[in-house]
Amino acid sequence: MLSLRDPLGPRAVGIGLRAPHVAEMIASRPAVGWLEAHTENYLGGGPAIRALEALRGWYPISLHGVGLSLGSAEGIDRGHLERVARLVERIQPAVVSEHLAWSVVGGAYLNHLLPLPYTDESLARLCENVERAQDRLARRILVENPSSYLRFRESPIPVPEFLGELARRTGCGLLCDVNNVYVTCRNLGQDPAAYLAALPPQAIGEIHLAGHARNDVDGRTILVDDHGSPVAEEVWNLFMRAVGRFGARPTLIEWDTDIPALDVLLEEARRAGQVMSRALAIEGPRDVAA
Amino acid sequence: MTSLHELQRDLRAAVLGGDPSRAAAAVVDDDLPAEARLRIYRHHVRTTLTGVLQAAFPVVCRLVDERFFGYVADQYIRSDPPSGPCLFEYGERFPAFLAEFPPCRALPYLADVSRLEWAVHRASRAPERDPLAAAALQAVAPARAGDLVLLLDAACTLLASPWPIERIWRANRPEMGEPVTVDLGAGRALLEVRRRGDDVVIRELEPATYAFREALARGHRLADAVEAALAHDAAFDLPGALRALVQEGLVTGLGGGSGEPAAGPAVSNGRATTEQPLGAPAHVPCMRRPGE
C-alpha cells in the first residue's frame, strides 16, 4: 500500500501560496518542496487559476479546502463538491486536504471553521461526508485537526481519538496542524504532548506549522490561530516532538494575515527542514507506514 | 431535526450576531464564560466577511468611511450571509442592499457606484469563455438572422446610471490621494465592463450601441436588439455593430431564440437615454483575491 506521504516526499517542506507572492514565485522559482493552494480561491477564472497552472509545472501542489464543511449535519453541498472535483481534475494535485469543522447550515456559509461536539452522531456524519468526498474525488483526502476556543458540554470523545476513528472508518489520512494542537490545548487547559501521543502515527500524512496571536478576552489570554506571525518557539518544540513520534512528514508553513516578504516564508520553511532533521537524528528515522 | 443540526443552527445565530443564549447553553463555562468564547467566533466571522466586502467594494468604503462601511457590512452579512464558500462570489446583492438601506439615502449615487465595483470584481474572476469565430456568424442564413440570439461573454456587465459613476469611481480608487470634486450633473453613464487578458476594461458606450448590446445581453432576438438601437440612432450600422462584437471577442455562442443564455452577462438598470461621448477605454489592474 502506498504511504500517504509518498506524493510529496516525506521530508519535503512547502509554503502556502499567497496572492502577493505569486508573481515573484513565477519569476524566481525559489527552491521549496511544494506549494499549498486554498481550493476556494481557484474556483473562478482569470489570472489566479492561470498562475496556479503555471506553478504546477514546477512544484507539487496540495489543494487545501476550507469550504466542504465536512461536519455539516445537512451533508456536504453537492454543487461545491463538483466544483472542487473539476479543479482537482484540472490541477492534479499531489494531496487534497480539508478540515474537521463545519461552516454551512441552512444554506448559509459562515466563513469559519466552526467547532463540532465530538459525539457518536458527529462521527457518523463526518464519516458519511468524508466518504462522499473521497468517492467523488476518487482519492483519499487528509483531514486537519481544528483550533478550538470552546468545548461543548456533550462532547465525550477526545479529539485525537475522534480523528483516529474517522481515519480508521473512512481510510482518510490526517493533517496534523501542530500550531492548532498548541492553540487548542492552551485555550482549553489540555496537554499538547498528550494530544500528539493520542494521534495514530500511521494516519498522519502531513504537518502544518503557523504563527498565532495572543489576545486578551475578558482578562483571560486566548491564543488565536491567525497565521499572522512566525511559528512560536513552543510550537517548534512541539513540532520536534511530533516528528519524533510520527517520523518525517511533508510539512507546510502557513501565513495568511500580515503576509510578509516571500523570503521570510522561505526562511521559516528552511528552519522547518532543519528542525525535522534534528528530530529525526535524535529519534532515529522511522517508517511507521511500512 | 438531529441534535447536531439543532446545535449548528444555534451557533449560526450566535456567530451572525443574533441571540447567543441557546448556543451558550451547550458550551462549557469555565475560566471564560461560554458567551465570551462564542464571541471569539462571532468576531472572526464578522471581521473576515467585512474584509471580503471591503476588498470587493473599496470605493464604496472610501465614500462612506470605514466605520460606517463596517456598520452597513454587518447589517448586510446578518441579512444575507454567503451562500457558498467561494468568497469572491459574495457581495452580488450588496448594491441592492445599499439602494434600500435608509442611512445611505443621502448618497443617491452610492448603489450605482457599488454596481460598477461589483462588475469590475466579477469580471476579474469570471471563467474564460472561447469567443465565437466570425465564420460561425457569417454562416447564418440571412432569412434566419432576425431570430438569432447571440450569447455574450458572461464576464461582461452592461451598466447604466443617471450619475457619472465612472468619474466618481475613478476619483475614489484606494490608490488615489486626496478626493477630487466630481460634478454630479456631469452626465449619465452607459458603461460596459469586461475582462481583456488579465485586465478589466471599463468603456463608455454610445446610446445606440449600449441599447443594442444590452438587449442582446438580456437574451433578446437580434431583430429586437436592432429595434432598440434604432430608437436611439436612425442610422444604426448593424453590420458594423456585429463586426465589432465579434472582433472584441464578446460573442461566445449562438442561440436559436428558444432559450435564455444559461450564464449570460449582467445588466443593471438600462434606462438612460441621453447622448454620451465615446470615452477612451480605461485599464484597471485585476483585484486581489479575497481571503488572501
Side-chain angles (χ1 to χ4, degrees):
Chain A
M1 191 181 83
L2 275 177
S3 154
L4 281 171
R5 59 185 191 267
D6 282 343
L8 292 173
R11 291 190 183 218
V13 180
I15 60 170
L17 178 66
R18 301 294 179 258
H21 300 149
V22 167
E24 191 181 350
M25 287 293 305
I26 289 175
S28 68
R29 286 190 240 165
V32 64
W34 52 288
L35 299 178
E36 183 189 84
H38 286 166
T39 309
E40 280 72 19
N41 287 335
Y42 297 91
L43 296 179
I49 182 74
R50 283 201 295 280
L52 185 62
E53 288 195 307
L55 288 166
R56 71 176 284 273
W58 304 313
Y59 301 99
I61 303 289
S62 165
L63 285 179
H64 187 52
V66 296
L68 269 183
S69 192
L70 293 174
S72 269
E74 294 167 357
I76 51 180
D77 182 81
R78 197 179 290 270
H80 186 60
L81 180 58
E82 281 307 310
R83 292 178 77 177
V84 172
R86 284 196 294 274
L87 183 70
V88 167
E89 280 156 23
R90 187 166 171 182
I91 298 298
Q92 296 288 322
V95 174
V96 174
S97 54
E98 254 288 351
H99 295 85
L100 180 68
W102 68 277
S103 49
V104 177
V105 67
Y109 171 76
L110 300 170
N111 196 38
H112 202 347
L113 298 165
L114 291 166
L116 283 162
Y118 302 119
T119 61
D120 288 335
E121 184 197 354
S122 299
L123 184 57
R125 181 41 91 176
L126 247 306
C127 288
E128 277 173 50
N129 291 344
V130 167
E131 278 164 3
R132 193 155 145 207
Q134 294 189 138
D135 285 350
R136 178 59 190 94
L137 302 178
R139 60 161 72 212
R140 175 191 266 176
I141 64 171
L142 303 181
V143 178
E144 177 179 337
N145 58 299
S147 282
S148 300
Y149 308 98
L150 59 74
R151 277 181 300 141
F152 291 106
R153 291 181 188 279
E154 284 302 312
S155 188
I157 310 171
V159 63
E161 279 86 342
F162 188 93
L163 283 161
E165 190 58 19
L166 178 67
R168 195 187 65 75
R169 290 193 198 176
T170 66
C172 75
L174 301 179
L175 193 172
C176 177
D177 186 313
V178 175
N179 184 55
N180 290 358
V181 170
Y182 184 77
V183 163
T184 298
C185 291
R186 281 291 164 267
N187 288 339
L188 304 180
Q190 295 165 354
D191 174 16
Y195 188 125
L196 284 184
L199 285 170
Q202 69 283 359
I204 308 294
E206 184 184 319
I207 292 175
H208 271 185
L209 296 169
H212 58 254
R214 303 173 73 87
N215 287 8
D216 180 88
V217 179
D218 296 357
R220 156 80 149 97
T221 298
I222 288 288
L223 303 189
V224 177
D225 178 33
D226 69 344
H227 299 181
S229 55
V231 176
E233 288 309 315
E234 298 91 330
V235 174
W236 284 120
N237 292 338
L238 203 58
F239 174 53
M240 276 205 65
R241 190 183 278 268
V243 173
R245 173 162 165 74
F246 306 145
R249 290 292 187 277
T251 296
L252 183 91
I253 300 293
E254 286 185 296
W255 207 313
D256 289 283
T257 53
D258 291 329
I259 296 174
L262 179 59
D263 281 345
V264 176
L265 257 80
L266 296 172
E267 188 50 44
E268 287 275 278
R270 272 191 288 278
R271 182 168 177 190
Q274 288 161 2
V275 173
M276 195 191 307
S277 297
R278 204 155 61 232
L280 292 169
I282 294 168
E283 297 289 329
R286 302 176 179 197
D287 188 2
V288 288
Chain B
M1 199 190 302
T2 64
S3 58
L4 180 63
H5 199 186
E6 208 169 328
L7 178 65
Q8 291 181 342
R9 290 163 66 118
D10 292 342
L11 278 160
R12 167 186 163 149
V15 301
L16 286 180
D19 177 11
S21 60
R22 286 178 59 92
V27 171
V28 173
D29 261 316
D30 46 20
D31 55 340
L32 195 59
E35 291 203 5
R37 291 191 178 273
L38 285 168
R39 273 207 313 275
I40 300 167
Y41 292 91
R42 156 84 184 126
H43 177 76
H44 179 94
V45 171
R46 178 181 175 163
T47 53
T48 57
L49 289 179
T50 299
V52 166
L53 294 172
Q54 229 164 0
F57 300 96
V59 170
V60 170
C61 185
R62 181 163 164 158
L63 286 170
V64 301
D65 94 34
E66 205 170 324
R67 257 188 78 197
F68 184 79
F69 188 88
Y71 169 68
V72 186
D74 186 43
Q75 298 296 311
Y76 174 66
I77 292 161
R78 287 176 192 227
S79 74
D80 191 10
S83 57
C86 293
L87 293 176
F88 59 85
E89 292 166 356
Y90 183 52
E92 183 173 14
R93 290 182 291 272
F94 190 55
F97 183 85
L98 287 178
E100 298 297 319
F101 195 59
C104 292
R105 282 197 190 127
L107 303 177
Y109 50 84
L110 191 68
D112 281 356
V113 172
S114 72
R115 288 188 181 98
L116 175 55
E117 292 210 278
W118 183 255
V120 171
H121 179 71
R122 183 175 174 274
S124 70
R125 296 306 301 267
E128 278 88 357
R129 298 282 290 276
D130 290 330
L132 188 80
L137 206 53
Q138 285 152 6
V140 175
R144 283 190 52 240
D147 288 329
L148 206 58
V149 172
L150 304 184
L151 308 182
L152 302 192
D153 185 356
C156 171
T157 298
L158 292 157
L159 183 60
S161 171
W163 309 100
I165 54 173
E166 192 197 352
R167 294 185 194 195
I168 299 171
W169 178 80
R170 213 164 281 290
N172 287 282
R173 296 278 301 151
E175 65 270 18
M176 298 295 283
E178 281 302 297
V180 297
T181 304
V182 175
D183 175 11
L184 287 182
R188 302 180 169 202
L190 296 174
L191 304 176
E192 178 186 82
V193 182
R194 58 173 308 211
R195 191 170 69 220
R196 201 171 292 161
D198 281 357
D199 292 332
V200 175
V201 181
I202 302 174
R203 196 159 70 122
E204 179 86 35
L205 299 181
E206 290 173 13
T209 305
Y210 184 90
F212 179 64
R213 293 187 175 195
E214 192 229 27
L216 294 176
R218 289 184 190 275
H220 294 172
R221 297 178 319 135
L222 186 57
D224 298 330
V226 172
E227 203 166 307
L230 287 170
H232 292 276
D233 178 4
F236 179 68
D237 168 23
L238 175 62
L242 283 176
R243 212 162 32 241
L245 273 183
V246 172
Q247 275 169 4
E248 290 167 28
L250 212 54
V251 185
T252 55
L254 298 178
S258 54
E260 293 277 302
V267 178
S268 285
N269 294 346
R271 300 180 308 270
T273 52
T274 50
E275 280 287 323
Q276 288 292 313
L278 185 70
H283 290 263
V284 182
C286 270
M287 321 292 283
R288 178 165 300 172
R289 277 158 284 162
E292 285 207 6

